[in-house]
Amino acid sequence: MRIVFMGTPEFAVPSLEAVASAHDVTLVVTRPDAVRSRGRRPEPSPVKARALDLGLPVLEAKRMDVSAIDAVRAAAPDLVCVVAFGCILPDELLAVAPLGAINVHGSLLPRWRGAAPIQRAILAGDERTGVSIMRVAHDLDAGAWCRQAPTAIGSKTAGKLFDELARLGARELVAAAGQIADGTATWHEQDPAQVTIAEKVRKDEMRLDPADARAANALRVQASTDAAPARCQIAGRGVRVVLAAPASANAPQVAAGAISLSYGRVLLGCADGALELLRVKPDGKREMDASAWAQGLRGAEGAAWGRA
């Protein structure tokens, strides 16, 4: 089957690899090179880099205008596969391939339509999430789905869930493409009453707050990403919290907004108990174990902490 693949970030790379190994990818469409790190130099998207490694033709497009749609049409796809491409797809594009266009979405639709389904599932305390293979529709993430695969969230960080769902999505995408090709796919319309929206996570939402419950602060740390990191200020020092958990029952009692540094443990007092920091990245320094960082906090016992 001839496929045009559209995607941009690392999340889409496993799907590209899986589709390319099973079908004839006639074109890869991705977002243009951009500054993606501290080097300040334009870099290719992860999808572009992998497509070139695989010897696949690549089209870079900021938006799907007439020329980009013409390029997709010239690639003569039977099916268009979309994984986190990064812009709205016009209806004209969706009609190019006889079998239509399908998308890998990182949630169990209709829950968490939108930009940040993985982080929102964590922040909401959901027990599970997953991937859905859906038709690309005019409205955002509103298309019918033909395959879903769940996974437990537990204590998995956003980074671990991204990796897991990327692999799961790749598997389900190839399976869905095969079913669509042979006419055995079963489509399920989404129930509008069950829809929740996964808006982009703002940086200010991820600030740890001593006025909040320790579980809420722990979920912020679990959902943390480079784009929206979990941060706070401890004894006047800014720090990104990389890994944390509600303190054990035998941990020292810590007042809300206070710090405990007993036995190399860094405990932050929250509204209903303490949050224990396990990995941190102090501003201007490398990531390290909280116990190592605590050695530089001598004299800060009982000092205050708060939103950064």
Side-chain angles (χ1 to χ4, degrees):
M1 181 162 55
R2 293 170 63 87
I3 288 179
V4 166
F5 185 91
M6 303 180 67
T8 299
E10 192 67 39
F11 182 82
V13 170
S15 287
L16 171 62
E17 294 171 338
V19 169
S21 68
H23 299 285
D24 179 16
V25 176
T26 56
L27 181 66
V28 174
V29 186
T30 190
R31 304 281 282 173
D33 294 358
V35 176
R36 306 179 194 276
S37 64
R38 295 181 180 178
R40 297 182 180 273
R41 293 184 299 178
E43 298 177 3
S45 73
V47 163
K48 177 185 174 181
R50 188 63 181 123
L52 294 177
D53 287 343
L54 294 170
L56 300 173
V58 174
L59 170 68
E60 297 177 51
K62 285 186 177 180
R63 59 189 180 90
M64 295 308 295
D65 55 16
V66 172
S67 63
I69 294 173
D70 285 344
V72 172
R73 186 178 290 112
D78 299 304
L79 179 70
V80 175
C81 294
V82 184
V83 188
F85 175 63
C87 78
I88 299 297
L89 303 182
D91 292 344
E92 185 181 357
L93 173 68
L94 306 183
V96 166
L99 297 177
I102 58 174
N103 178 66
V104 177
H105 184 72
S107 80
L108 298 174
L109 292 169
R111 188 161 178 79
W112 300 128
R113 292 182 186 175
I118 297 173
Q119 298 99 307
R120 289 298 175 191
I122 294 173
L123 288 170
D126 289 0
E127 293 183 357
R128 66 174 194 160
T129 186
V131 293
S132 301
I133 310 300
M134 62 173 218
R135 284 194 182 110
V136 181
H138 180 78
D139 295 329
L140 179 65
D141 299 331
W145 57 269
C146 66
R147 293 186 68 91
Q148 289 188 330
T151 187
I153 295 178
S155 61
K156 298 170 188 171
T157 63
K160 288 183 178 179
L161 274 178
F162 269 102
D163 293 343
E164 181 179 349
L165 295 183
R167 295 190 300 270
L168 200 57
R171 185 193 75 189
E172 295 300 312
L173 178 62
V174 170
Q179 290 177 335
I180 292 168
D182 64 23
T184 61
T186 300
W187 296 96
H188 307 268
E189 297 294 337
Q190 297 183 41
D191 180 358
Q194 301 298 318
V195 170
T196 57
I197 303 301
E199 296 180 352
K200 182 179 179 180
V201 177
R202 306 185 312 274
K203 289 184 178 181
D204 65 284
E205 292 181 76
M206 302 298 286
R207 302 300 192 242
L208 304 190
D209 193 327
D212 290 339
R214 58 182 181 168
N217 283 318
L219 289 174
R220 289 184 178 114
V221 176
Q222 188 178 346
S224 177
T225 64
D226 289 342
R231 288 182 50 81
C232 64
Q233 191 173 79
I234 300 175
R237 309 178 191 188
V239 60
R240 174 177 175 177
V241 182
V242 179
L243 194 63
S248 57
N250 61 355
Q253 297 295 311
V254 188
I259 304 166
S260 172
L261 302 173
S262 60
Y263 303 103
R265 301 169 68 185
V266 181
L267 304 178
L268 306 183
C270 302
D272 63 348
L275 180 74
E276 181 171 4
L277 307 192
L278 303 174
R279 294 279 294 176
V280 298
K281 187 181 184 305
D283 290 352
K285 297 184 179 181
R286 61 177 177 81
E287 183 180 319
M288 65 184 75
D289 287 340
S291 58
W293 185 58
Q295 296 177 14
L297 292 176
R298 294 175 182 174
E301 179 76 30
W305 77 276
R307 290 170 59 89

